[in-house]
DNA sequence: AGCTGCCAACCAATCGATTGATTGGTCAGT
DNA sequence: ACTGACCAATCAATCGATTGGTTGGCAGCT
């Protein structure tokens, strides 16, 4: 499509930005940011290379001087999103106080924080991954599985120690992960919550869900 | 695209079906079912009318004898999905034992059940709604808001009565709704859970999340 | 200063293929 | 003869991608 079909309604109020230090320099970075916005709003197949080029302010041919194909722009965004989340989860585990409860709270805060800080990136990484060919989706899927295992290990540890009262850690991990994932779909500066308020609330939800005693916030 | 880009990986093991009594008779119904499968796997913009016609086994021109445009096929699916969920939520509330805890459990069981019984429909209704024009998305969005209010009222009632220990019912309703919504993305016959096991587990999760005492299953 | 070589960035024009949609018409069942 | 279902052929428009070529700035040398 040449122009936007209609006014953005999916994520209009959210800033178009990537995590610090990962935006490529020059035009390549601007293409990535424009792709972030358009893919989030209209989807990968709903965005043409002319839409993308127009948003960047360049000719569509110039795109191919920076990316070999439209799909590679999406692939980079999807990978960046999964890398950012996994990095934050790992760091949260490292910095967390010992014990499954504190670790679970730290993981949930990190996940919610990542999706609240960069909702566009989280949305594209999750909702548009299916548009990638299997070989280009594989790295992100591998990262996603690793992130899932981080949460699952903490839940199993808590269950084994008797600190969590949860019958099925796999289902609990899925449910908790689902809560945080959806944050990217609704959180924004127009909401009456700060990112920390949502992160703390969701961490409490997760602890309650697994039947743990509340822990102090860090 | 003329043929499938790659083997289905999003929802390959899930049956392509609609709730009883809502499938139109004849070719119109077959178009709807084919759209359900293709839109779920490849997205609305990732599915051409030729893909759709080929899956039905008819010529692409014949589609226009049944639907005025490709978008109307999606619009009907999206509306069907939201109607089915809302209908089940209402019925669950009617049939539930009195009291906020039992009502919350019933709502969650109904939501999870709907998304587990018809994951393709739930996926299309939620993930492809953004591809609809505002006027055709409006009915589904209105239904979604009504469904949200059903859950919110129960949470507020439980909080007011002191049966739920939840600081922010709005955030809690969002979190609980997010859990169930995501079920459509992973549940299938290949999972080691029945739909009732997941529904019951998620109902318990929701009750734990709001700090309620467990209730007997219905 | 002036010249040369270089390179990232850029674009007009265009490719063949595919898009959503339309026409005029066929065909089986009643 | 009428009707609903269907299709071959085709439309203008747009798709992702490619070509050949231009631009402006900067480093190194004279």
């Amino acid at each position: 499509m040449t122009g936007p079909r209609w006014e953005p309604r999916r994520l209009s109020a959210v800033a178009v930005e990537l995590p610090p230090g990962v935006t490529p320099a020059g035009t390549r970075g601007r293409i990535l940011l424009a792709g972030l916005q358009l893919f989030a709003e209209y989807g990968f197949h709903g965005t043409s290379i002319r839409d993308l080029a127009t948003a960047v302010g360049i000719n569509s041919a110039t795109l191919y001087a920076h990316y070999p194909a439209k799909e590679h722009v999406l692939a980079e965004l999807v990978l960046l999103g999964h890398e950012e989340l996994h990095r934050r989860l790992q760091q949260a585990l490292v910095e967390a106080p010992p014990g499954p409860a504190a670790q679970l709270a730290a993981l949930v805060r990190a996940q919610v924080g990542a999706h609240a800080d960069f909702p566009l990136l989280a949305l594209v990484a999750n909702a548009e991954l299916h548009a990638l060919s299997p070989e280009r989706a594989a790295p992100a899927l591998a990262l996603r599985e690793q992130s899932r295992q981080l949460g699952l290990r903490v839940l199993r540890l808590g269950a084994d120690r008797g600190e969590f009262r949860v019958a099925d850690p796999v289902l609990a991990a899925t449910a908790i992960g689902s809560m945080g994932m959806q944050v990217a779909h609704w959180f924004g500066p127009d909401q009456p919550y700060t990112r920390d308020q949502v992160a703390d609330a969701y961490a409490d939800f997760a602890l309650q869900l697994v039947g743990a005693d509340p822990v102090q916030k860090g």
Side-chain angles (χ1 to χ4, degrees), chain A:
Chain A
M1 327 296 166
T2 302
R5 290 172 205 75
W6 47 76
E7 288 306 305
R9 58 193 154 107
R10 218 178 171 188
L11 291 154
S12 52
V14 173
V16 181
E17 55 183 5
L18 289 170
V22 304
T23 308
T27 306
R28 197 181 158 94
R30 290 193 294 137
I31 294 172
L32 214 55
L33 287 173
L36 180 64
Q37 181 168 32
L38 294 176
F39 293 161
E41 181 62 38
Y42 304 108
F44 177 71
H45 292 299
T47 304
S48 73
I49 58 166
R50 287 170 183 79
D51 295 335
L52 197 53
T54 300
V56 178
I58 59 175
N59 190 278
S60 65
T62 306
L63 289 175
Y64 291 87
H66 302 273
Y67 289 93
K70 175 186 166 191
E71 187 187 351
H72 289 71
V73 182
L74 175 62
E76 185 162 339
L77 285 170
V78 169
L79 189 56
L80 278 180
H82 281 84
E83 284 174 342
E84 176 70 13
L85 174 63
H86 190 67
R87 193 187 60 74
R88 289 192 182 211
L89 292 179
Q90 283 182 314
Q91 186 172 354
L93 270 188
V94 169
E95 297 176 352
Q103 290 183 344
L104 175 60
L107 281 180
V108 171
R109 268 196 288 267
Q111 189 204 14
V112 171
H115 287 198
D117 290 339
F118 302 101
L120 291 182
L121 187 60
L123 193 79
V124 168
N126 286 318
E128 301 298 327
L129 192 146
H130 74 100
L132 289 177
S133 60
E135 57 267 27
R136 251 178 295 279
L141 289 173
L143 267 177
R144 173 182 294 191
E145 177 57 26
Q146 285 189 36
S147 296
R148 207 183 80 97
Q149 291 295 335
L150 288 183
L152 200 50
R153 274 200 290 268
V154 170
L155 279 189
R156 285 196 169 123
L157 181 64
D160 291 343
R161 288 196 189 176
E163 299 185 24
F164 295 166
R165 292 186 302 275
V166 54
D168 191 320
V170 173
L171 273 185
T174 304
I176 293 172
S178 299
M179 293 184 344
M181 188 173 302
Q182 207 70 11
V183 168
H185 283 81
W186 59 267
F187 185 79
D190 55 325
Q191 291 293 325
Y193 307 98
T194 67
R195 46 112 46 213
D196 285 330
Q197 285 175 331
V198 178
D200 289 339
Y202 271 54
D204 286 343
F205 289 158
L207 290 174
Q208 292 270 354
L209 193 150
V210 300
D213 297 328
V215 291
Q216 293 80 8
K217 303 172 191 175

mmCIF file of all heavy atoms in Angstrom, chain A residues 87-104:
data_model
loop_
_atom_site.group_PDB
_atom_site.id
_atom_site.type_symbol
_atom_site.label_atom_id
_atom_site.label_comp_id
_atom_site.label_asym_id
_atom_site.label_seq_id
_atom_site.Cartn_x
_atom_site.Cartn_y
_atom_site.Cartn_z
ATOM 1 N N ARG A 87 18.552 -10.826 27.448
ATOM 2 C CA ARG A 87 19.611 -10.140 28.178
ATOM 3 C C ARG A 87 19.095 -9.602 29.516
ATOM 4 O O ARG A 87 19.738 -9.755 30.565
ATOM 5 C CB ARG A 87 20.144 -8.988 27.321
ATOM 6 C CG ARG A 87 21.451 -8.361 27.797
ATOM 7 C CD ARG A 87 21.793 -7.121 26.987
ATOM 8 N NE ARG A 87 20.765 -6.087 27.078
ATOM 9 C CZ ARG A 87 20.584 -5.321 28.159
ATOM 10 N NH1 ARG A 87 21.364 -5.486 29.209
ATOM 11 N NH2 ARG A 87 19.632 -4.412 28.178
ATOM 12 N N ARG A 88 17.919 -8.994 29.486
ATOM 13 C CA ARG A 88 17.359 -8.444 30.719
ATOM 14 C C ARG A 88 17.008 -9.540 31.723
ATOM 15 O O ARG A 88 17.167 -9.373 32.935
ATOM 16 C CB ARG A 88 16.108 -7.617 30.403
ATOM 17 C CG ARG A 88 16.418 -6.307 29.695
ATOM 18 C CD ARG A 88 15.182 -5.429 29.676
ATOM 19 N NE ARG A 88 15.390 -4.175 28.970
ATOM 20 C CZ ARG A 88 14.768 -3.042 29.284
ATOM 21 N NH1 ARG A 88 13.907 -3.022 30.287
ATOM 22 N NH2 ARG A 88 14.982 -1.945 28.596
ATOM 23 N N LEU A 89 16.486 -10.651 31.213
ATOM 24 C CA LEU A 89 16.136 -11.753 32.113
ATOM 25 C C LEU A 89 17.389 -12.296 32.796
ATOM 26 O O LEU A 89 17.394 -12.541 34.013
ATOM 27 C CB LEU A 89 15.427 -12.860 31.334
ATOM 28 C CG LEU A 89 14.034 -12.520 30.787
ATOM 29 C CD1 LEU A 89 13.455 -13.700 30.022
ATOM 30 C CD2 LEU A 89 13.092 -12.123 31.919
ATOM 31 N N GLN A 90 18.442 -12.490 32.014
ATOM 32 C CA GLN A 90 19.686 -12.995 32.593
ATOM 33 C C GLN A 90 20.239 -12.043 33.643
ATOM 34 O O GLN A 90 20.622 -12.448 34.740
ATOM 35 C CB GLN A 90 20.723 -13.208 31.472
ATOM 36 C CG GLN A 90 20.488 -14.462 30.647
ATOM 37 C CD GLN A 90 21.561 -14.647 29.590
ATOM 38 O OE1 GLN A 90 21.919 -13.704 28.884
ATOM 39 N NE2 GLN A 90 22.057 -15.867 29.458
ATOM 40 N N GLN A 91 20.272 -10.751 33.283
ATOM 41 C CA GLN A 91 20.776 -9.758 34.229
ATOM 42 C C GLN A 91 19.927 -9.714 35.492
ATOM 43 O O GLN A 91 20.456 -9.567 36.601
ATOM 44 C CB GLN A 91 20.810 -8.381 33.557
ATOM 45 C CG GLN A 91 21.463 -7.305 34.435
ATOM 46 C CD GLN A 91 21.651 -6.004 33.665
ATOM 47 O OE1 GLN A 91 21.404 -5.935 32.467
ATOM 48 N NE2 GLN A 91 22.092 -4.968 34.369
ATOM 49 N N ALA A 92 18.613 -9.829 35.326
ATOM 50 C CA ALA A 92 17.724 -9.800 36.482
ATOM 51 C C ALA A 92 18.028 -10.967 37.417
ATOM 52 O O ALA A 92 18.038 -10.805 38.647
ATOM 53 C CB ALA A 92 16.271 -9.849 36.024
ATOM 54 N N LEU A 93 18.295 -12.136 36.853
ATOM 55 C CA LEU A 93 18.610 -13.297 37.680
ATOM 56 C C LEU A 93 19.926 -13.099 38.418
ATOM 57 O O LEU A 93 20.058 -13.461 39.598
ATOM 58 C CB LEU A 93 18.689 -14.552 36.802
ATOM 59 C CG LEU A 93 17.392 -15.326 36.616
ATOM 60 C CD1 LEU A 93 17.645 -16.640 35.903
ATOM 61 C CD2 LEU A 93 16.722 -15.581 37.961
ATOM 62 N N VAL A 94 20.900 -12.513 37.722
ATOM 63 C CA VAL A 94 22.203 -12.298 38.348
ATOM 64 C C VAL A 94 22.094 -11.336 39.518
ATOM 65 O O VAL A 94 22.676 -11.553 40.588
ATOM 66 C CB VAL A 94 23.204 -11.760 37.301
ATOM 67 C CG1 VAL A 94 24.473 -11.271 37.981
ATOM 68 C CG2 VAL A 94 23.535 -12.843 36.282
ATOM 69 N N GLU A 95 21.330 -10.272 39.341
ATOM 70 C CA GLU A 95 21.264 -9.220 40.355
ATOM 71 C C GLU A 95 20.235 -9.508 41.451
ATOM 72 O O GLU A 95 20.177 -8.767 42.430
ATOM 73 C CB GLU A 95 20.933 -7.884 39.685
ATOM 74 C CG GLU A 95 21.985 -7.405 38.693
ATOM 75 C CD GLU A 95 21.568 -6.132 37.982
ATOM 76 O OE1 GLU A 95 20.402 -5.720 38.153
ATOM 77 O OE2 GLU A 95 22.410 -5.553 37.253
ATOM 78 N N ALA A 96 19.428 -10.527 41.257
ATOM 79 C CA ALA A 96 18.344 -10.786 42.207
ATOM 80 C C ALA A 96 18.890 -11.364 43.509
ATOM 81 O O ALA A 96 19.904 -12.067 43.505
ATOM 82 C CB ALA A 96 17.341 -11.757 41.592
ATOM 83 N N PRO A 97 18.219 -11.057 44.619
ATOM 84 C CA PRO A 97 18.558 -11.713 45.877
ATOM 85 C C PRO A 97 18.354 -13.225 45.738
ATOM 86 O O PRO A 97 17.587 -13.666 44.883
ATOM 87 C CB PRO A 97 17.551 -11.114 46.873
ATOM 88 C CG PRO A 97 17.057 -9.871 46.232
ATOM 89 C CD PRO A 97 17.120 -10.104 44.762
ATOM 90 N N PRO A 98 19.018 -14.006 46.564
ATOM 91 C CA PRO A 98 18.869 -15.458 46.440
ATOM 92 C C PRO A 98 17.456 -15.904 46.799
ATOM 93 O O PRO A 98 16.723 -15.198 47.498
ATOM 94 C CB PRO A 98 19.894 -15.998 47.447
ATOM 95 C CG PRO A 98 20.116 -14.884 48.415
ATOM 96 C CD PRO A 98 19.952 -13.621 47.624
ATOM 97 N N GLY A 99 17.086 -17.077 46.308
ATOM 98 C CA GLY A 99 15.774 -17.623 46.623
ATOM 99 C C GLY A 99 14.822 -17.530 45.456
ATOM 100 O O GLY A 99 14.814 -16.539 44.716
ATOM 101 N N PRO A 100 14.020 -18.560 45.275
ATOM 102 C CA PRO A 100 13.091 -18.626 44.136
ATOM 103 C C PRO A 100 12.101 -17.469 44.086
ATOM 104 O O PRO A 100 11.808 -16.952 43.003
ATOM 105 C CB PRO A 100 12.363 -19.959 44.350
ATOM 106 C CG PRO A 100 13.257 -20.753 45.224
ATOM 107 C CD PRO A 100 13.959 -19.771 46.099
ATOM 108 N N ALA A 101 11.585 -17.048 45.225
ATOM 109 C CA ALA A 101 10.579 -15.986 45.222
ATOM 110 C C ALA A 101 11.164 -14.685 44.684
ATOM 111 O O ALA A 101 10.589 -14.040 43.794
ATOM 112 C CB ALA A 101 10.030 -15.777 46.632
ATOM 113 N N ALA A 102 12.318 -14.308 45.214
ATOM 114 C CA ALA A 102 12.946 -13.068 44.741
ATOM 115 C C ALA A 102 13.347 -13.189 43.274
ATOM 116 O O ALA A 102 13.265 -12.216 42.507
ATOM 117 C CB ALA A 102 14.169 -12.749 45.603
ATOM 118 N N GLN A 103 13.771 -14.375 42.892
ATOM 119 C CA GLN A 103 14.171 -14.566 41.499
ATOM 120 C C GLN A 103 12.980 -14.503 40.553
ATOM 121 O O GLN A 103 13.062 -13.927 39.460
ATOM 122 C CB GLN A 103 14.908 -15.895 41.355
ATOM 123 C CG GLN A 103 16.290 -15.893 42.009
ATOM 124 C CD GLN A 103 17.033 -17.196 41.798
ATOM 125 O OE1 GLN A 103 16.431 -18.206 41.421
ATOM 126 N NE2 GLN A 103 18.339 -17.174 42.037
ATOM 127 N N LEU A 104 11.873 -15.106 40.963
ATOM 128 C CA LEU A 104 10.672 -15.038 40.124
ATOM 129 C C LEU A 104 10.206 -13.594 39.980
ATOM 130 O O LEU A 104 9.880 -13.132 38.872
ATOM 131 C CB LEU A 104 9.556 -15.892 40.730
ATOM 132 C CG LEU A 104 8.206 -15.818 40.010
ATOM 133 C CD1 LEU A 104 8.337 -16.278 38.562
ATOM 134 C CD2 LEU A 104 7.142 -16.634 40.732
#
